[in-house]
Amino acid sequence: MCRMIVSIGRAKVSDVVAAARLMGAGLTARHEYAQVGPTGAPGGITHLDGWGLVFAADDGTLRCYRSATGITADDAVEAFPEETSDVIVAHVRNATNPDQIGMRFVHPIEFEISGNPAFFFHNGFAPDILGSACGSSDWDSLNLLEWLKPAIEADDTTDALERRLGLLPPTTTSANFVLVQSGRLIICNWFDSSTRTPEYYTMHRCDGPNRIVISSEPIPDIEDVGTWQPLGNRTLLEIPFATFGDHEQLRPHY
């Protein structure tokens, strides 16, 4: 169980990290796990089992930071005061399995596509993704990436991913993911239609004049909650870096 936020368009890295910190602390929760305290402020499940960040530097490289420390306690959240980027992705984690805590299980998962670095963030639980007898890892997020890699590397990535996602076992609560690689961003909102917590797994989108933000939760510090729109379940977005200014390229693919 995790929270993710994606910022597309020029923004401060520190602002996105601050938004992720609010989600990590449970302060923006408006889903099935949310609770309202005596002051009327929302509160919900915390996500403090490590956090990760990827952003595109001006030289075209992707910079990554990962920490096993909860985002609310990590002094590194102050380490990006002047950094700005056109692409920023942050992830905060709540481990489903208490045995899966530590740097080994912090997102993003780094791998390669055609020899170039790529980064994979996941929210959800996929315990049977490769079958109990043939799973190559005891971490479901890594198994999900391995399951999706043939589609990610295909020429018709979006169509291949749709086909692949359609074959997920019913025990997969959510395959929400964000993939970042040089020149491309893929965002997937996919969860089991019979889930008892659809609001928790629904990602939300906020469009501004020069920026688009997609987040696991609406962040009032970015825009009023009422301006955020839910992504439909089974929504898949493939966004080339070169077309971030073209909103036609940001329409959901169904």
Side-chain angles (χ1 to χ4, degrees):
M1 299 173 68
C2 307
R3 306 278 81 184
M4 303 182 289
I5 182 169
V6 182
S7 175
I8 304 163
R10 204 68 178 176
K12 289 185 177 180
V13 175
S14 58
D15 287 348
V16 176
V17 172
R21 194 174 193 179
L22 291 173
M23 288 195 291
L27 298 178
T28 55
R30 289 174 174 82
H31 46 66
E32 293 89 353
Y33 296 113
Q35 300 175 353
V36 177
T39 63
I45 188 171
T46 58
H47 296 75
L48 302 177
D49 295 324
W51 72 284
L53 172 73
V54 167
F55 64 94
D58 288 339
D59 64 2
T61 61
L62 295 173
R63 294 179 56 185
C64 177
Y65 174 82
R66 299 166 69 247
S67 173
T69 302
I71 192 170
T72 60
D74 191 351
D75 292 338
V77 297
E78 311 295 338
F80 310 99
E82 304 301 328
E83 298 277 7
T84 60
S85 177
D86 290 329
V87 183
I88 311 166
V89 183
H91 180 284
V92 291
R93 183 169 185 262
N94 180 295
T96 303
N97 184 340
D99 294 329
Q100 297 179 347
I101 297 176
M103 278 297 291
R104 177 187 167 199
F105 302 103
V106 174
H107 298 238
I109 301 170
E110 183 172 359
F111 66 110
E112 290 188 352
I113 299 176
S114 301
N116 297 311
F119 300 89
F120 181 82
F121 303 80
H122 171 227
N123 169 29
F125 187 45
D128 302 313
I129 192 66
L130 297 182
S132 59
C134 62
S136 62
S137 165
D138 60 357
W139 185 19
D140 63 293
S141 292
L142 180 56
N143 287 338
L144 176 62
L145 172 59
E146 292 175 352
W147 169 268
L148 295 175
K149 274 183 71 175
I152 291 171
E153 296 172 346
D155 292 336
D156 59 339
T157 303
T158 303
D159 291 338
L161 278 171
E162 288 181 339
R163 293 191 295 269
R164 199 69 170 158
L165 289 164
L167 298 174
L168 286 174
T171 51
T172 304
T173 62
S174 167
N176 288 1
F177 72 83
V178 178
L179 170 72
V180 188
Q181 66 177 117
S182 180
R184 184 173 68 166
L185 182 70
I186 297 177
I187 302 169
C188 177
N189 195 173
W190 188 105
F191 57 87
D192 180 42
S193 58
S194 64
T195 182
R196 293 176 294 177
T197 54
E199 293 181 10
Y200 181 80
Y201 290 118
T202 295
M203 301 183 75
H204 296 76
R205 172 174 168 166
C206 178
D207 289 19
N210 300 302
R211 184 185 181 196
I212 292 173
V213 180
I214 296 174
S215 174
S216 295
E217 298 172 9
I219 310 294
D221 285 27
I222 294 177
E223 289 291 346
D224 291 340
V225 172
T227 65
W228 294 76
Q229 298 297 318
L231 290 183
N233 190 14
R234 313 299 170 96
T235 294
L236 195 61
L237 299 168
E238 183 175 357
I239 306 168
F241 281 20
T243 59
F244 276 175
D246 182 358
H247 284 218
E248 291 300 307
Q249 295 292 331
L250 300 172
R251 291 179 175 175
H253 181 100
Y254 297 98

